[in-house]
Amino acid sequence: VDESKLFIPRFKAYMESRKADRTKAIYKATLDQMTKYDSKVKTLSFEDITLEWLRKFDMFLQQTSPSKNARNIHFRNIRAVFNAAIDDNLISYYPFRNFKLKDEETRKRNLTKEQLQKIMNYKGEDYERKYIDCFLLSFYLSGINGVDLLNATPEQVVNGRLEYKRSKTGKLMSVKIEPEAQEIIDRYKGTTRLLKWGERLKSYKSFMMKVNQTMNGIIPGCTAYYARHTIASLAS
């Protein structure tokens, strides 16, 4: 088989050409799932990835990923490699003409004013307080995500505003620190980080998981993401 026509070497090369580490990791997740699904995947040519192959791969993914939108990420990655190969005049074959990737409408992830008030007034246990305050601080700071909040340093506060670069997009952000936000920041003031939560933290993911667990206990289904979506919906 002509090595240039094999799919996986092209997929790996395309993956490595992506600039953002997060994007590379998403492509690596797709590669891992393809390898789990098809033991012969390394020997597959582009033509071997047929419409039937894609449909069966989708059925395989459904076992661990019931969300169609989550599964579509893998297929968009595969499709991107096909499109790049077509652009390079390597292939003309294209199995995605009849394999549609229309996303399902996702459930709205914003809170009502009443639910938000419930969180603000919630007493709870002492150990829950910092996780609730993390959620509220994210809300007060226009929906800043967990990693950016926990990584923020005192130097990023300039003239009463928190200035940071979004880890997800690289976009520069400048958010006014309102009195409600300042009160929480003062209560949990750090030295090397803006908040002591971010100091000596082994994994921000484990911290945010506890935020999600706490919020779910107050409002079923609520996670840290709701802070961002809620501020957006109230502002619109």
Side-chain angles (χ1 to χ4, degrees):
V1 180
D2 182 354
E3 180 117 348
S4 68
K5 297 291 176 72
L6 291 178
F7 181 77
I8 292 301
R10 292 284 301 188
F11 187 96
K12 287 181 177 177
Y14 189 86
M15 175 176 72
E16 290 305 322
S17 72
R18 302 303 88 193
K19 289 192 176 116
D21 288 340
R22 179 178 169 79
T23 305
K24 286 181 182 177
I26 293 169
Y27 273 82
K28 176 67 166 56
T30 300
L31 181 61
D32 291 344
Q33 290 294 347
M34 290 177 71
T35 305
K36 285 178 191 173
Y37 165 63
D38 190 338
S39 59
K40 298 177 182 175
V41 73
K42 289 181 180 177
T43 62
L44 295 184
S45 67
F46 278 86
E47 285 77 10
D48 289 325
I49 298 178
T50 61
L51 178 60
E52 183 185 14
W53 190 97
L54 292 172
R55 285 173 175 164
K56 286 184 176 178
F57 182 42
D58 190 39
M59 289 171 67
F60 166 80
L61 291 173
Q62 285 177 41
Q63 296 170 30
T64 53
S65 183
S67 165
K68 188 176 192 304
N69 297 351
R71 299 197 306 275
N72 280 352
I73 292 169
H74 296 304
F75 291 108
R76 287 197 176 94
N77 291 345
I78 294 170
R79 187 177 65 181
V81 177
F82 266 91
N83 289 336
I86 289 170
D87 289 344
D88 291 343
N89 295 314
L90 183 68
I91 60 166
S92 57
Y93 172 72
Y94 192 67
F96 284 92
R97 287 187 184 90
N98 295 310
F99 190 82
K100 303 304 177 192
L101 296 180
K102 187 177 179 181
D103 283 345
E104 293 175 334
E105 189 172 339
T106 53
R107 180 165 59 94
K108 285 187 177 178
R109 293 192 290 187
N110 53 279
L111 301 167
T112 64
K113 288 180 180 178
E114 292 74 23
Q115 288 174 320
L116 193 57
Q117 203 63 51
K118 181 180 179 181
I119 293 168
M120 290 175 176
N121 296 334
Y122 187 77
K123 299 296 181 221
E125 303 292 337
D126 288 346
Y127 73 89
E128 295 176 311
R129 190 67 252 166
K130 64 180 176 182
Y131 304 123
I132 297 167
D133 285 337
C134 180
F135 178 90
L136 289 173
L137 186 54
S138 173
F139 174 77
Y140 294 138
L141 293 175
S142 299
I144 185 172
N145 72 24
V147 64
D148 294 330
L149 181 59
L150 294 170
N151 283 333
T153 64
E155 292 74 29
Q156 287 172 250
V157 177
V158 181
N159 297 325
R161 303 182 73 87
L162 177 63
E163 299 186 345
Y164 68 98
K165 186 184 283 188
R166 277 201 77 195
S167 57
K168 193 173 181 180
T169 63
K171 184 180 178 183
L172 289 171
M173 307 293 290
S174 178
V175 183
K176 185 181 178 184
I177 301 175
E178 300 290 354
E180 297 90 342
Q182 189 63 58
E183 190 275 325
I184 295 175
I185 291 169
D186 289 343
R187 202 148 23 100
Y188 298 98
K189 205 163 193 174
T191 50
T192 57
R193 297 281 169 90
L194 182 65
L195 302 158
K196 61 184 180 182
W197 305 327
E199 296 172 346
R200 300 185 303 278
L201 191 66
K202 289 181 180 176
S203 166
Y204 83 88
K205 285 184 179 178
S206 62
F207 186 91
M208 295 311 298
M209 197 179 293
K210 287 175 183 172
V211 172
N212 291 342
Q213 288 169 351
T214 303
M215 299 316 300
N216 182 59
I218 304 169
I219 307 286
C222 181
T223 68
Y225 285 110
Y226 276 65
R228 184 173 190 81
H229 288 268
T230 301
I231 196 72
S233 67
L234 291 178
S236 61

